[in-house]
């Protein structure tokens, strides 16, 4: 593993298909995507390479956090999602300095046992320094808390509605 | 068309398949990729999303120009190539400032008439200012000269050898 990467890996007791749906449907992403008491109040998903991934988070007082559009790079149904904060829709690179650092996120979902999943989330940075800054900002705790919220959401929520790629 | 983009579009008398091969095989890319008397002396191609695209150019005296690895984003055989200078292999974002500007390049190859091609090369920038700098640096003249060289190369060179994705 590169020291420019940060990785969260865990076996969880829900299926890759439901995790994929929760990762790719705005109405099923917003409830868990941000560590409480922060919340996600807006989400745009155009689930294809070059398509937009946007989330707007707010602090406990409802103040919007800085947000820029990301861009999907790879989408393999129920198995893999790759997107980057370094580019917006249509692969347009973001101007340098428009975020404290850029990273590419790779989410791998592998079937594990009966209905479980090996969940691997990797954050790919430009430099070791950026990875360290991301870790000091709370990557491990934050992404771990978010995975707890994701698993709890998937276990407790019927997700039988039609998948939608539009803003919910 | 966005003012953040620069586009070169032309009908040429060679096929999409041969243009694609010349764009994706190091030994067939190096002869034409750089406007003469500048030359391309090294080329690495890993032709898949997330794979490396690297070219080393030299000036007429043989001095190396600044070069960073690019990353392929989309590859559709004989039709489309998308890569970006904003990321290296494995979708790792380049540190801000590691190039005067970043851009994503989209090459579209559409069959036209009998054995011809509608060739569209688009450079997608972060800002209007970056696009203007790229144009002032010689985008239209340079990419046009390179297309002349590409067409001449394809017309004059047997390209029946096996396609290779390794350094040549």
């Amino acid at each position: 593993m590169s020291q420019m990467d940060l990785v969260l890996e865990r076996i969880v007791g829900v299926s890759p298909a439901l995790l994929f749906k929760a990762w790719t449907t705005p109405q099923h992403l917003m409830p868990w995507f941000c560590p409480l008491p922060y919340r996600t109040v807006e989400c745009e998903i155009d689930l294809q390479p070059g398509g937009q991934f946007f989330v707007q988070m707010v602090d406990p007082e409802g103040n919007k956090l800085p947000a820029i559009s990301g861009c999907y790079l790879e989408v393999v149904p129920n198995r893999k999602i790759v997107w980057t904060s370094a580019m917006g829709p249509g692969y347009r690179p973001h101007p340098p300095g428009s975020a404290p650092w850029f990273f590419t996120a790779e989410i791998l979902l592998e079937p594990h046992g009966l209905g479980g999943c090996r969940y691997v989330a990797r954050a790919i940075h430009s430099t070791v320094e950026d990875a360290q800054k991301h870790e000091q900002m709370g990557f491990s705790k934050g992404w771990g808390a978010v995975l707890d919220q994701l698993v709890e959401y998937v276990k407790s929520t019927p997700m039988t509605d039609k998948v939608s790629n539009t803003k919910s």
Side-chain angles (χ1 to χ4, degrees), chain A:
Chain A
M1 176 190 152
S2 167
Q3 292 191 347
M4 295 182 280
D5 297 347
L6 298 175
V7 178
L8 172 72
E9 176 173 347
R10 203 191 297 174
I11 307 294
V12 296
V14 290
S15 72
L18 287 176
L19 291 168
F20 183 85
K21 189 170 183 179
W23 255 106
T24 58
T25 317
Q27 81 226 56
H28 294 309
L29 181 145
M30 291 196 289
W32 60 265
F33 190 76
C34 196
L36 291 167
Y38 286 68
R39 291 173 299 120
T40 303
V41 294
E42 198 178 332
C43 175
E44 303 260 2
I45 288 177
D46 177 15
L47 194 61
Q48 57 180 328
Q52 178 177 224
F53 178 47
F54 176 79
V55 285
Q56 177 63 61
M57 304 180 190
V58 296
D59 69 17
E61 287 73 45
N63 303 304
K64 287 185 177 181
L65 304 190
I68 58 173
S69 290
C71 181
Y72 287 106
L73 299 171
E74 289 187 34
V75 179
V76 181
N78 303 335
R79 290 295 179 268
K80 188 179 185 182
I81 306 162
V82 185
W83 90 91
T84 188
S85 71
M87 303 192 294
Y91 303 120
R92 187 178 303 285
H94 284 305
S98 48
W101 60 79
F102 294 123
F103 68 100
T104 294
E106 179 189 70
I107 308 297
L108 296 178
L109 306 168
E110 295 178 8
H112 183 89
L114 280 176
C117 181
R118 178 172 165 266
Y119 180 98
V120 185
R122 181 184 304 268
I124 300 165
H125 303 85
S126 301
T127 62
V128 174
E129 291 68 31
D130 282 353
Q132 289 171 342
K133 277 190 283 182
H134 200 174
E135 179 56 36
Q136 286 158 14
M137 194 269 277
F139 168 88
S140 298
K141 190 178 170 190
W143 286 40
V146 157
L147 178 54
D148 289 339
Q149 293 175 183
L150 166 56
V151 170
E152 177 60 27
Y153 177 80
V154 169
K155 283 184 174 174
S156 64
T157 310
M159 290 168 58
T160 50
D161 51 281
K162 188 167 171 293
V163 170
S164 163
N165 292 334
T166 59
K167 184 176 171 178
S168 70

